[in-house]
Coordinates of all heavy atoms in Angstrom, one line a residue:
M1 N -12.7 22.8 -5.3 CA -13.0 21.6 -6.2 C -12.2 20.5 -5.7 O -10.8 20.7 -5.5 CB -12.8 22.1 -7.7 CG -13.1 20.9 -8.5 SD -13.0 21.6 -10.3 CE -13.5 20.3 -11.1
R2 N -12.8 19.3 -5.7 CA -12.1 18.1 -5.1 C -10.9 17.7 -6.0 O -9.9 17.3 -5.5 CB -13.1 16.9 -5.1 CG -12.5 15.6 -4.6 CD -12.4 15.5 -3.1 NE -12.0 14.2 -2.8 CZ -11.0 13.9 -2.0 NH1 -10.4 14.9 -1.5 NH2 -10.7 12.7 -1.7
Q3 N -11.1 17.9 -7.3 CA -10.0 17.5 -8.2 C -8.8 18.4 -8.1 O -7.7 17.9 -8.0 CB -10.5 17.7 -9.6 CG -9.6 17.5 -10.8 CD -9.4 16.0 -11.0 OE1 -9.7 15.1 -10.2 NE2 -8.7 15.6 -12.0
V4 N -8.9 19.6 -7.8 CA -7.8 20.6 -7.5 C -7.0 20.1 -6.3 O -5.8 20.0 -6.2 CB -8.2 22.0 -7.4 CG1 -7.2 22.8 -7.0 CG2 -8.8 22.4 -8.8
Q5 N -7.8 19.8 -5.2 CA -7.2 19.2 -3.9 C -6.4 18.0 -4.2 O -5.2 17.8 -3.6 CB -8.3 19.0 -3.0 CG -8.6 19.9 -2.0 CD -9.6 19.4 -1.0 OE1 -10.6 18.8 -1.4 NE2 -9.5 19.7 0.3
L6 N -7.0 17.2 -4.9 CA -6.3 15.8 -5.2 C -5.0 16.1 -6.0 O -4.0 15.4 -5.6 CB -7.2 14.9 -5.9 CG -8.4 14.4 -5.2 CD1 -9.4 13.6 -6.1 CD2 -7.9 13.4 -4.2
I7 N -5.0 16.9 -7.0 CA -3.8 17.2 -7.8 C -2.7 17.8 -6.9 O -1.6 17.6 -7.0 CB -4.1 17.9 -9.0 CG1 -4.9 17.2 -10.0 CG2 -2.9 18.5 -9.7 CD1 -4.4 15.9 -10.5
E8 N -3.2 18.9 -6.1 CA -2.2 19.5 -5.2 C -1.6 18.5 -4.2 O -0.5 18.6 -4.0 CB -2.9 20.6 -4.4 CG -3.2 21.8 -5.3 CD -4.1 22.9 -4.6 OE1 -4.6 22.6 -3.4 OE2 -4.3 23.9 -5.1
N9 N -2.4 17.5 -3.7 CA -1.9 16.5 -2.8 C -0.8 15.6 -3.6 O 0.2 15.3 -3.0 CB -3.0 15.6 -2.3 CG -3.8 16.3 -1.3 OD1 -3.4 17.3 -0.7 ND2 -5.0 15.7 -1.0
V10 N -1.2 15.2 -4.8 CA -0.3 14.4 -5.6 C 1.1 15.2 -5.8 O 2.1 14.7 -5.6 CB -0.9 14.1 -7.0 CG1 0.2 13.4 -7.9 CG2 -1.9 13.0 -6.8
N11 N 0.9 16.4 -6.1 CA 2.2 17.2 -6.3 C 3.0 17.4 -5.1 O 4.2 17.3 -5.1 CB 1.7 18.7 -6.9 CG 1.2 18.7 -8.3 OD1 1.5 17.7 -9.0 ND2 0.4 19.7 -8.6
R12 N 2.3 17.7 -4.0 CA 3.1 17.7 -2.7 C 3.7 16.4 -2.3 O 4.8 16.4 -1.8 CB 2.0 18.2 -1.6 CG 2.6 18.4 -0.2 CD 1.6 18.8 0.8 NE 0.4 18.2 0.8 CZ 0.1 17.0 1.4 NH1 1.1 16.3 1.9 NH2 -1.1 16.4 1.3
L13 N 2.9 15.3 -2.5 CA 3.4 14.1 -2.1 C 4.6 13.5 -3.0 O 5.4 12.7 -2.5 CB 2.3 13.0 -2.0 CG 1.3 13.2 -0.9 CD1 0.0 12.4 -1.1 CD2 1.9 12.9 0.5
S14 N 4.6 14.0 -4.2 CA 5.6 13.5 -5.2 C 6.8 14.4 -5.3 O 7.7 14.1 -6.0 CB 4.9 13.3 -6.5 OG 4.5 14.5 -7.2
E15 N 6.6 15.6 -4.7 CA 7.8 16.6 -4.9 C 9.1 16.1 -4.5 O 9.3 15.4 -3.4 CB 7.4 17.8 -3.9 CG 8.3 19.0 -4.2 CD 7.9 20.1 -3.4 OE1 6.8 20.2 -2.8 OE2 8.7 21.2 -3.5
G16 N 10.1 16.2 -5.3 CA 11.5 15.8 -5.1 C 11.6 14.3 -5.3 O 12.7 13.8 -5.0
S17 N 10.6 13.6 -5.7 CA 10.7 12.1 -5.8 C 10.7 11.7 -7.3 O 10.5 12.5 -8.2 CB 9.5 11.5 -5.0 OG 8.3 11.5 -5.8
E18 N 10.9 10.4 -7.4 CA 10.9 9.9 -8.8 C 9.6 10.1 -9.5 O 9.4 9.9 -10.7 CB 11.2 8.5 -8.7 CG 10.3 7.6 -8.0 CD 10.7 6.1 -7.8 OE1 10.5 5.4 -8.8 OE2 11.2 5.8 -6.7
Y19 N 8.5 10.3 -8.7 CA 7.2 10.5 -9.3 C 6.9 11.8 -9.6 O 5.7 12.1 -10.4 CB 6.1 10.0 -8.2 CG 6.4 8.6 -7.6 CD1 6.9 8.4 -6.4 CD2 6.2 7.5 -8.5 CE1 7.2 7.2 -5.9 CE2 6.5 6.2 -7.9 CZ 7.0 6.1 -6.7 OH 7.2 4.9 -6.2
E20 N 7.6 12.8 -9.4 CA 7.3 14.2 -9.6 C 6.9 14.6 -11.0 O 6.0 15.3 -11.1 CB 8.5 15.1 -9.2 CG 8.2 16.5 -9.1 CD 9.3 17.3 -8.4 OE1 10.4 16.9 -8.6 OE2 9.0 18.4 -8.1
S21 N 7.6 14.0 -12.0 CA 7.3 14.5 -13.4 C 6.5 13.4 -14.1 O 6.3 13.4 -15.3 CB 8.5 14.7 -14.1 OG 9.3 13.7 -14.2
K22 N 5.9 12.4 -13.4 CA 5.1 11.3 -14.1 C 3.7 11.7 -14.2 O 3.1 12.4 -13.6 CB 5.4 10.0 -13.3 CG 6.7 9.4 -13.4 CD 6.8 8.1 -12.8 CE 8.2 7.6 -12.8 NZ 8.3 6.1 -12.6
T23 N 3.1 11.0 -15.3 CA 1.6 11.1 -15.4 C 0.9 10.5 -14.3 O 1.5 9.6 -13.6 CB 1.2 10.4 -16.7 OG1 1.4 9.1 -16.6 CG2 1.9 11.0 -18.0
L24 N -0.3 10.7 -14.1 CA -1.2 10.1 -13.0 C -1.1 8.6 -13.1 O -0.9 8.0 -12.1 CB -2.6 10.6 -13.0 CG -2.8 12.1 -12.4 CD1 -4.2 12.5 -12.7 CD2 -2.5 12.1 -10.9
M25 N -1.2 8.2 -14.3 CA -1.3 6.7 -14.6 C 0.0 6.1 -14.2 O 0.0 5.1 -13.5 CB -1.6 6.3 -16.0 CG -1.8 4.9 -16.2 SD -2.9 4.0 -15.2 CE -4.5 4.7 -15.9
H26 N 1.1 6.7 -14.5 CA 2.5 6.2 -14.1 C 2.6 6.3 -12.6 O 3.2 5.4 -11.9 CB 3.5 6.9 -14.8 CG 3.7 6.4 -16.2 ND1 3.4 7.1 -17.3 CD2 4.2 5.2 -16.7 CE1 3.5 6.5 -18.4 NE2 4.0 5.2 -18.1
V27 N 2.2 7.4 -12.0 CA 2.2 7.5 -10.6 C 1.4 6.4 -9.9 O 2.0 5.7 -9.0 CB 1.8 8.9 -10.0 CG1 1.5 8.9 -8.5 CG2 2.6 10.0 -10.5
I28 N 0.2 6.1 -10.4 CA -0.6 5.0 -9.8 C 0.1 3.7 -9.9 O 0.2 3.0 -8.9 CB -2.0 5.0 -10.5 CG1 -2.7 6.4 -10.2 CG2 -2.7 3.8 -10.0 CD1 -3.9 6.5 -11.1
T29 N 0.5 3.3 -11.1 CA 1.0 2.0 -11.4 C 2.4 1.8 -10.7 O 2.7 0.7 -10.1 CB 1.2 1.6 -12.8 OG1 1.9 2.6 -13.5 CG2 -0.3 1.6 -13.5
D30 N 3.3 2.8 -10.6 CA 4.6 2.7 -10.0 C 4.6 2.8 -8.5 O 5.4 2.1 -7.9 CB 5.6 3.7 -10.6 CG 5.8 3.7 -12.2 OD1 5.4 2.5 -12.7 OD2 6.3 4.5 -12.8
S31 N 3.7 3.6 -8.0 CA 3.7 3.7 -6.5 C 2.8 2.6 -5.8 O 3.1 2.4 -4.6 CB 3.2 5.1 -6.1 OG 1.8 5.3 -6.5
A32 N 2.1 2.0 -6.5 CA 1.1 1.1 -5.9 C 1.9 -0.2 -5.2 O 1.3 -0.8 -4.3 CB 0.1 0.5 -6.9
I33 N 3.1 -0.4 -5.7 CA 3.8 -1.6 -5.1 C 4.5 -1.2 -3.8 O 5.1 -2.0 -3.1 CB 4.7 -2.2 -6.1 CG1 5.8 -1.1 -6.5 CG2 4.0 -2.8 -7.3 CD1 6.9 -1.7 -7.4
D34 N 4.6 0.1 -3.4 CA 5.3 0.6 -2.3 C 4.3 0.9 -1.1 O 3.6 1.9 -1.3 CB 6.1 1.8 -2.7 CG 7.1 2.2 -1.5 OD1 6.8 1.8 -0.3 OD2 7.9 3.1 -1.8
P35 N 4.2 0.1 -0.1 CA 3.3 0.5 1.0 C 3.5 1.9 1.6 O 2.5 2.4 2.2 CB 3.5 -0.6 2.1 CG 4.3 -1.7 1.3 CD 5.0 -1.0 0.1
N36 N 4.7 2.4 1.5 CA 5.0 3.7 2.0 C 4.4 4.9 1.2 O 4.2 6.0 1.6 CB 6.4 3.9 2.1 CG 7.1 3.0 3.2 OD1 6.5 2.8 4.2 ND2 8.2 2.5 2.9
K37 N 3.9 4.4 0.0 CA 3.3 5.4 -0.9 C 1.8 5.4 -1.1 O 1.2 5.9 -2.0 CB 4.0 5.3 -2.4 CG 5.4 5.3 -2.3 CD 5.8 6.8 -2.0 CE 7.3 6.9 -2.0 NZ 7.8 8.2 -1.5
I38 N 1.2 4.8 -0.1 CA -0.3 4.6 -0.2 C -1.1 5.9 -0.3 O -1.9 6.1 -1.1 CB -0.9 3.9 1.1 CG1 -0.3 2.4 0.9 CG2 -2.3 3.9 1.2 CD1 -0.7 1.6 2.2
P39 N -0.6 7.0 0.4 CA -1.3 8.3 0.3 C -1.2 8.8 -1.1 O -2.2 9.4 -1.8 CB -0.6 9.2 1.3 CG -0.2 8.3 2.3 CD 0.2 7.0 1.6
L40 N 0.0 8.7 -1.8 CA 0.2 9.2 -3.1 C -0.5 8.4 -4.1 O -1.2 8.9 -4.9 CB 1.7 9.1 -3.4 CG 2.2 9.3 -4.8 CD1 1.7 10.8 -5.2 CD2 3.6 9.1 -5.1
T41 N -0.5 7.1 -4.0 CA -1.3 6.2 -4.8 C -2.8 6.5 -4.7 O -3.5 6.6 -5.8 CB -1.1 4.7 -4.4 OG1 0.3 4.5 -4.4 CG2 -1.8 3.8 -5.4
N42 N -3.3 6.6 -3.5 CA -4.8 6.9 -3.3 C -5.2 8.3 -3.9 O -6.2 8.4 -4.6 CB -5.2 6.9 -1.9 CG -5.2 5.6 -1.2 OD1 -5.2 4.5 -2.0 ND2 -5.1 5.4 0.0
N43 N -4.4 9.3 -3.7 CA -4.7 10.6 -4.3 C -4.7 10.6 -5.8 O -5.5 11.2 -6.4 CB -3.8 11.7 -3.7 CG -4.2 12.2 -2.3 OD1 -5.1 13.1 -2.2 ND2 -3.8 11.5 -1.3
A44 N -3.6 10.0 -6.3 CA -3.4 9.9 -7.7 C -4.5 9.1 -8.4 O -5.1 9.4 -9.4 CB -2.1 9.3 -8.2
S45 N -4.9 8.0 -7.7 CA -6.0 7.2 -8.3 C -7.4 8.0 -8.3 O -8.1 7.9 -9.3 CB -6.1 5.9 -7.4 OG -5.1 5.1 -7.5
Q46 N -7.7 8.6 -7.2 CA -8.9 9.4 -7.2 C -8.9 10.5 -8.1 O -9.9 10.8 -8.9 CB -9.0 10.0 -5.8 CG -9.4 8.9 -4.7 CD -9.5 9.6 -3.3 OE1 -10.2 10.5 -3.1 NE2 -8.8 8.9 -2.3
A47 N -7.8 11.2 -8.3 CA -7.7 12.2 -9.3 C -7.9 11.7 -10.7 O -8.7 12.3 -11.5 CB -6.3 12.9 -9.2
W48 N -7.3 10.5 -11.0 CA -7.5 9.9 -12.3 C -9.0 9.5 -12.5 O -9.4 9.7 -13.6 CB -6.5 8.7 -12.4 CG -6.5 8.1 -13.7 CD1 -5.8 8.4 -14.8 CD2 -7.5 7.1 -14.3 NE1 -6.0 7.6 -15.9 CE2 -7.2 6.9 -15.6 CE3 -8.5 6.4 -13.8 CZ2 -7.9 6.0 -16.5 CZ3 -9.2 5.6 -14.6 CH2 -8.9 5.3 -15.9
N49 N -9.5 9.0 -11.5 CA -10.9 8.5 -11.7 C -11.9 9.7 -12.0 O -12.8 9.5 -12.8 CB -11.4 7.8 -10.3 CG -10.9 6.4 -10.2 OD1 -10.5 5.8 -11.2 ND2 -10.8 5.9 -9.0
I50 N -11.7 10.8 -11.3 CA -12.6 12.0 -11.5 C -12.2 12.6 -13.0 O -13.3 12.9 -13.6 CB -12.3 13.1 -10.4 CG1 -12.7 12.6 -9.1 CG2 -12.9 14.3 -10.9 CD1 -12.4 13.5 -7.9
D51 N -11.0 12.5 -13.4 CA -10.7 12.9 -14.7 C -11.3 12.0 -15.8 O -11.9 12.5 -16.7 CB -9.2 13.0 -14.8 CG -8.7 13.6 -16.2 OD1 -9.1 14.7 -16.4 OD2 -8.2 12.9 -17.0
F52 N -11.2 10.8 -15.5 CA -11.9 9.8 -16.5 C -13.3 10.1 -16.5 O -13.9 10.1 -17.6 CB -11.5 8.4 -16.0 CG -12.2 7.3 -16.9 CD1 -11.6 7.1 -18.1 CD2 -13.3 6.7 -16.5 CE1 -12.3 6.1 -18.9 CE2 -13.9 5.7 -17.4 CZ -13.4 5.4 -18.5
F53 N -14.0 10.2 -15.3 CA -15.4 10.4 -15.4 C -15.8 11.7 -16.1 O -16.7 11.7 -17.0 CB -16.0 10.6 -13.9 CG -17.4 11.0 -13.8 CD1 -18.4 10.2 -14.1 CD2 -17.7 12.3 -13.3 CE1 -19.7 10.6 -14.0 CE2 -19.0 12.7 -13.2 CZ -20.0 11.9 -13.7
L54 N -15.0 12.8 -15.8 CA -15.4 14.1 -16.4 C -15.2 14.0 -17.9 O -16.1 14.6 -18.7 CB -14.6 15.2 -15.9 CG -14.9 15.6 -14.4 CD1 -13.8 16.6 -13.9 CD2 -16.3 16.0 -14.2
Q55 N -14.3 13.2 -18.4 CA -14.1 13.1 -19.9 C -15.2 12.3 -20.6 O -15.4 12.4 -21.8 CB -12.7 12.5 -20.2 CG -11.5 13.4 -19.9 CD -10.2 12.8 -20.2 OE1 -10.1 12.2 -21.2 NE2 -9.3 13.0 -19.3
T56 N -15.8 11.5 -19.8 CA -17.0 10.8 -20.4 C -18.4 11.4 -20.5 O -19.2 10.9 -21.2 CB -17.2 9.4 -19.6 OG1 -17.7 9.7 -18.2 CG2 -15.9 8.5 -19.6
L57 N -18.4 12.5 -19.8 CA -19.6 13.3 -20.0 C -19.9 13.8 -21.3 O -18.9 14.2 -22.0 CB -19.6 14.5 -18.9 CG -19.6 14.0 -17.5 CD1 -19.5 15.3 -16.6 CD2 -20.8 13.1 -17.1
T58 N -21.1 13.9 -21.8 CA -21.3 14.3 -23.1 C -22.8 15.1 -23.2 O -23.6 14.7 -22.4 CB -21.3 13.1 -24.2 OG1 -21.7 13.6 -25.4 CG2 -22.3 12.1 -23.7
D59 N -22.9 15.8 -24.2 CA -24.1 16.6 -24.5 C -24.9 15.6 -25.4 O -26.1 16.0 -25.7 CB -23.9 17.9 -25.1 CG -23.4 18.9 -24.2 OD1 -23.5 18.7 -22.9 OD2 -22.7 19.9 -24.6
D60 N -24.3 14.6 -25.9 CA -25.1 13.8 -26.9 C -25.1 12.3 -26.4 O -24.4 11.4 -26.8 CB -24.2 13.9 -28.3 CG -25.0 13.1 -29.3 OD1 -26.2 13.0 -29.3 OD2 -24.2 12.6 -30.2
P61 N -26.1 12.1 -25.5 CA -26.2 10.7 -24.8 C -26.6 9.7 -25.9 O -27.4 10.0 -26.9 CB -27.3 10.9 -23.8 CG -28.0 12.1 -24.1 CD -27.1 13.0 -24.9
R62 N -26.0 8.6 -25.8 CA -26.4 7.5 -26.6 C -27.4 6.5 -26.0 O -27.3 6.3 -24.8 CB -25.1 6.7 -27.0 CG -24.1 7.5 -27.7 CD -22.9 6.8 -28.1 NE -22.1 6.8 -26.8 CZ -21.1 6.1 -26.5 NH1 -20.6 5.2 -27.3 NH2 -20.4 6.1 -25.4
P63 N -28.2 5.9 -26.8 CA -29.2 5.0 -26.3 C -28.5 3.8 -25.6 O -27.4 3.4 -26.2 CB -30.1 4.6 -27.4 CG -29.4 5.0 -28.7 CD -28.4 6.0 -28.2
L64 N -29.1 3.1 -24.6 CA -28.5 1.9 -24.0 C -28.4 0.8 -24.9 O -29.5 0.6 -25.7 CB -29.1 1.6 -22.8 CG -28.9 2.4 -21.5 CD1 -29.7 2.0 -20.4 CD2 -27.4 2.4 -21.1
R65 N -27.5 0.0 -24.9 CA -27.6 -1.3 -25.7 C -28.6 -2.2 -25.2 O -28.9 -2.1 -23.9 CB -26.3 -2.0 -25.7 CG -25.1 -1.4 -26.3 CD -23.7 -2.2 -26.3 NE -23.8 -3.2 -25.3 CZ -22.9 -3.3 -24.4 NH1 -21.8 -2.5 -24.4 NH2 -22.8 -4.3 -23.5
D66 N -29.2 -3.0 -25.9 CA -30.4 -3.9 -25.5 C -30.0 -4.8 -24.4 O -30.7 -4.9 -23.4 CB -30.9 -4.7 -26.7 CG -31.7 -3.8 -27.6 OD1 -32.1 -2.7 -27.3 OD2 -31.9 -4.3 -28.8
D67 N -28.7 -5.3 -24.4 CA -28.3 -6.3 -23.4 C -28.1 -5.5 -22.0 O -28.5 -6.1 -20.9 CB -27.0 -7.0 -23.7 CG -25.8 -6.1 -23.9 OD1 -26.0 -5.1 -24.5 OD2 -24.7 -6.6 -23.6
V68 N -27.7 -4.3 -22.1 CA -27.6 -3.5 -20.9 C -28.9 -3.1 -20.3 O -29.1 -3.4 -19.0 CB -26.7 -2.2 -21.0 CG1 -26.7 -1.3 -19.8 CG2 -25.3 -2.5 -21.4
R69 N -29.8 -2.7 -21.1 CA -31.2 -2.5 -20.7 C -31.8 -3.6 -20.1 O -32.5 -3.6 -19.1 CB -31.9 -1.9 -21.9 CG -33.5 -1.5 -21.6 CD -34.2 -1.0 -22.8 NE -33.7 0.3 -23.1 CZ -34.3 1.5 -22.7 NH1 -35.3 1.3 -21.8 NH2 -33.9 2.6 -22.9
R70 N -31.7 -4.8 -20.8 CA -32.2 -6.1 -20.2 C -31.6 -6.5 -18.9 O -32.4 -6.8 -17.9 CB -32.0 -7.2 -21.3 CG -32.7 -8.4 -21.0 CD -32.7 -9.4 -22.3 NE -31.3 -9.5 -22.9 CZ -31.0 -8.9 -24.0 NH1 -32.0 -8.3 -24.7 NH2 -29.8 -9.1 -24.7
N71 N -30.3 -6.3 -18.7 CA -29.7 -6.6 -17.3 C -30.2 -5.6 -16.3 O -30.4 -6.2 -15.2 CB -28.2 -6.6 -17.5 CG -27.6 -7.7 -18.2 OD1 -28.1 -8.8 -18.3 ND2 -26.4 -7.6 -18.8
I72 N -30.4 -4.5 -16.6 CA -30.9 -3.5 -15.6 C -32.4 -3.9 -15.2 O -32.8 -4.0 -14.1 CB -30.9 -2.0 -16.1 CG1 -29.4 -1.7 -16.1 CG2 -31.7 -1.2 -15.2 CD1 -29.2 -0.2 -16.9
A73 N -33.2 -4.2 -16.2 CA -34.5 -4.5 -16.1 C -34.6 -5.8 -15.1 O -35.5 -6.0 -14.2 CB -35.3 -4.9 -17.4
E74 N -33.7 -6.7 -15.4 CA -33.7 -8.0 -14.5 C -33.4 -7.7 -13.0 O -34.1 -8.3 -12.1 CB -32.6 -8.9 -14.9 CG -33.0 -9.7 -16.3 CD -31.8 -10.5 -16.8 OE1 -30.8 -10.6 -16.1 OE2 -31.9 -11.0 -18.0
Q75 N -32.7 -6.7 -12.8 CA -32.4 -6.3 -11.3 C -33.5 -5.4 -10.7 O -33.6 -5.4 -9.5 CB -31.0 -5.6 -11.4 CG -29.8 -6.4 -11.8 CD -29.6 -7.5 -10.9 OE1 -29.6 -7.5 -9.7 NE2 -29.4 -8.7 -11.6
F76 N -34.2 -4.7 -11.5 CA -35.1 -3.7 -10.9 C -36.6 -4.0 -11.4 O -37.5 -3.1 -11.3 CB -34.8 -2.3 -11.4 CG -33.6 -1.7 -10.8 CD1 -32.3 -2.0 -11.2 CD2 -33.7 -1.0 -9.6 CE1 -31.2 -1.5 -10.6 CE2 -32.6 -0.6 -8.9 CZ -31.4 -0.8 -9.4
D77 N -36.8 -5.1 -12.0 CA -38.1 -5.6 -12.6 C -38.4 -4.9 -13.9 O -38.9 -5.6 -14.8 CB -39.3 -5.4 -11.6 CG -39.1 -6.2 -10.3 OD1 -38.7 -7.4 -10.5 OD2 -39.5 -5.8 -9.2
T78 N -38.2 -3.6 -14.0 CA -38.3 -3.0 -15.3 C -37.3 -1.8 -15.4 O -36.7 -1.4 -14.4 CB -39.7 -2.3 -15.4 OG1 -39.8 -1.2 -14.5 CG2 -40.9 -3.2 -15.2
F79 N -37.0 -1.4 -16.6 CA -36.0 -0.3 -16.7 C -36.7 1.0 -16.1 O -35.9 1.7 -15.7 CB -35.6 -0.2 -18.2 CG -34.6 0.8 -18.4 CD1 -33.3 0.6 -18.2 CD2 -35.0 2.1 -18.9 CE1 -32.4 1.6 -18.4 CE2 -33.9 3.1 -19.1 CZ -32.7 2.8 -18.8
E80 N -37.9 1.1 -16.4 CA -38.5 2.4 -15.8 C -38.5 2.4 -14.3 O -38.1 3.5 -13.8 CB -40.0 2.4 -16.3 CG -40.2 2.6 -17.8 CD -39.9 1.4 -18.7 OE1 -39.9 0.3 -18.1 OE2 -39.5 1.6 -19.8
R81 N -38.5 1.3 -13.6 CA -38.3 1.3 -12.2 C -36.9 1.7 -11.8 O -36.6 2.4 -10.8 CB -38.7 0.0 -11.6 CG -38.6 0.0 -10.0 CD -39.2 -1.2 -9.4 NE -40.6 -1.1 -9.5 CZ -41.4 -2.1 -9.4 NH1 -41.0 -3.3 -9.2 NH2 -42.7 -2.0 -9.5
F82 N -35.9 1.2 -12.6 CA -34.5 1.7 -12.4 C -34.5 3.2 -12.5 O -33.9 3.9 -11.6 CB -33.7 0.9 -13.4 CG -32.3 1.6 -13.5 CD1 -31.3 1.4 -12.7 CD2 -32.0 2.4 -14.7 CE1 -30.0 1.9 -12.7 CE2 -30.8 3.0 -14.8 CZ -29.7 2.8 -13.8
Q83 N -35.0 3.7 -13.5 CA -35.0 5.2 -13.7 C -35.7 6.0 -12.6 O -35.1 6.9 -12.1 CB -35.7 5.6 -15.0 CG -34.9 5.2 -16.3 CD -35.6 5.6 -17.6 OE1 -36.7 5.2 -17.8 NE2 -34.9 6.2 -18.5
E84 N -36.8 5.4 -12.1 CA -37.5 6.1 -11.0 C -36.7 6.1 -9.8 O -36.6 7.0 -9.0 CB -38.8 5.4 -10.8 CG -39.8 5.7 -11.8 CD -41.0 4.6 -11.7 OE1 -41.2 4.0 -10.6 OE2 -41.9 4.6 -12.7
T85 N -36.0 4.9 -9.5 CA -35.2 4.7 -8.3 C -34.1 5.8 -8.3 O -33.8 6.4 -7.1 CB -34.6 3.3 -8.2 OG1 -35.7 2.3 -8.3 CG2 -33.7 3.2 -7.0
F86 N -33.5 6.2 -9.4 CA -32.3 7.0 -9.4 C -32.7 8.5 -9.7 O -31.8 9.4 -9.8 CB -31.2 6.5 -10.3 CG -30.6 5.2 -9.8 CD1 -31.0 4.0 -10.1 CD2 -29.5 5.4 -8.8 CE1 -30.4 2.9 -9.5 CE2 -29.0 4.3 -8.2 CZ -29.4 3.0 -8.6
T87 N -34.0 8.8 -9.8 CA -34.4 10.1 -10.0 C -35.2 10.7 -8.9 O -35.6 11.8 -9.0 CB -35.2 10.3 -11.5 OG1 -36.3 9.4 -11.4 CG2 -34.3 10.0 -12.5
Q88 N -35.4 9.9 -7.9 CA -36.1 10.4 -6.7 C -35.2 11.2 -5.8 O -34.2 11.1 -5.7 CB -36.6 9.2 -6.0 CG -37.8 8.4 -6.7 CD -38.3 7.2 -5.9 OE1 -37.7 6.8 -4.9 NE2 -39.2 6.5 -6.4

């Protein structure tokens, strides 16, 4: 699983450093200013993004707000065309 690989990379890259016991968010924000820590920042960022995405999944989908539906329809001519585009 990609998430496991990313976390293992973060653990390996942060081992013995000031980042070792920090949360992913702290690793990202603290390491981003150091060009030598790009691999650590990238792996931590990707792991955080996947975690965030997985936490947003739900069995109880909510209807789209009218303004979001309208914006999508403006880009795809209709909301139904948008749905068709992404279900093919």
Side-chain angles (χ1 to χ4, degrees):
M1 180 176 184
R2 178 84 174 129
Q3 180 74 346
V4 172
Q5 260 183 323
L6 291 166
I7 295 298
E8 286 174 353
N9 289 343
V10 169
N11 289 340
R12 181 178 46 76
L13 292 166
S14 65
E15 189 174 354
S17 75
E18 62 188 281
Y19 306 106
E20 187 171 26
S21 61
K22 292 189 176 191
T23 65
L24 283 175
M25 184 55 70
H26 283 108
V27 170
I28 295 164
T29 57
D30 295 351
S31 67
I33 59 172
D34 185 347
N36 295 318
K37 299 297 180 189
I38 290 172
L40 175 60
T41 306
N42 288 344
N43 279 272
S45 297
Q46 290 177 51
W48 187 91
N49 285 337
I50 292 171
D51 185 59
F52 177 79
F53 170 74
L54 292 174
Q55 289 183 42
T56 63
L57 297 178
T58 177
D59 290 336
D60 186 26
R62 295 176 283 168
L64 286 177
R65 294 186 337 238
D66 288 340
D67 61 322
V68 173
R69 182 179 282 273
R70 194 170 36 256
N71 286 335
I72 290 171
E74 287 174 9
Q75 299 298 314
F76 289 86
D77 295 324
T78 66
F79 184 76
E80 290 72 24
R81 183 168 289 159
F82 164 78
Q83 289 178 307
E84 290 169 12
T85 300
F86 288 96
T87 56
Q88 293 177 352

